[in-house]
Amino acid sequence: MKILVVGAAGRTGQHLLEQAAGRGHTVTALARRAQDNPGFTGVPRVHSGDATDPDTVREALRDQHAVVMAVGASAIVRTLVPAMQHAGVRRLVMTSSRSVVATRPRPIIDLVWLRFRAVYADLVRAEGMLEASDLDWSIVRATMLTDTPPLGAVHTDFEANATGGDWKLGRADYAMALLDILEDDTMVRRAVGVCGQRTRPRAPASPDA
């Protein structure tokens, strides 16, 4: 599959480029000042530009099969949706935040909304724009992202509040989940919550050991 990664210079975007290539996909990177980024060495196609610019997006979409937005923003969706429709590219996966829909624990949700209200309000707009489109979209809502080593597993569900997993989610594991969802046709037009895999605490050593 030929995949355009929007926001490829970010930490999640870098994992997406590496893992998608490792799965045999052909990746194209779109990022601002991409020409100065050593992380794009070996990427077959690199486009430097603003993902809200229609001409930049149309050029980056040429010959693509799917798009993964490593950054969620309504301004990008506003540009990307008509450009994808014109190019005949239907599959789109967008990153988002679990806090957009979560209601528990209420004090923490209220606190993060107070601090990041503008960001979350924009994600709500971006999600609504995707849901109103005719694209084969998936929205992937993450919990708190970290740069911890990958565990190779995540918890996913379709509820507003997480049904399991850990509230911390490594970016490498998030990238893995984004690609898994991209490749899964049953995830089309679904919003998915992703949490980290909860690791079991190590059992205490036996006194006879």
Side-chain angles (χ1 to χ4, degrees), residues 56-122:
T56 298
V57 171
R58 279 193 293 267
E59 176 61 23
L61 278 170
R62 184 164 43 86
D63 299 326
Q64 301 299 317
H65 299 140
V67 177
V68 180
M69 291 176 58
V71 54
S74 64
I76 296 175
V77 173
R78 189 176 295 112
T79 302
L80 199 51
V81 168
M84 289 180 64
Q85 291 168 333
H86 183 266
V89 181
R90 297 198 51 79
R91 190 71 175 104
L92 172 62
V93 174
M94 184 183 80
T95 57
S96 188
S97 171
R98 190 110 205 192
S99 297
V100 167
V101 293
T103 61
R104 299 194 306 267
R106 189 81 243 177
I108 294 178
I109 296 300
D110 288 344
L111 183 62
V112 296
W113 263 91
L114 181 65
R115 184 173 180 182
F116 301 109
R117 177 174 298 276
V119 174
Y120 291 151
D122 188 68

Side-chain angles (χ1 to χ4, degrees), residues 1-5 24-28 45 60-68 84 87-93 135-136 182 185:
M1 191 187 307
K2 295 180 180 178
I3 303 171
L4 171 64
V5 178
H25 299 300
T26 301
V27 291
T28 296
R45 288 176 57 189
L61 278 170
R62 184 164 43 86
D63 299 326
Q64 301 299 317
H65 299 140
V67 177
V68 180
M84 289 180 64
V89 181
R90 297 198 51 79
R91 190 71 175 104
L92 172 62
V93 174
L135 296 179
D136 295 334
L182 174 69
D185 290 341

Side-chain angles (χ1 to χ4, degrees), residues 124 126-134 137 139 141 189-191:
V124 170
E127 290 192 7
M129 292 161 68
L130 273 191
E131 291 167 354
S133 77
D134 63 352
W137 53 265
I139 295 165
R141 298 170 176 145
R189 301 188 72 82
R190 302 202 73 174

Side-chain angles (χ1 to χ4, degrees), residues 139-155:
I139 295 165
V140 188
R141 298 170 176 145
T143 48
M144 192 182 96
L145 294 174
T146 69
D147 291 314
T148 51
L151 297 174
V154 295
H155 170 85

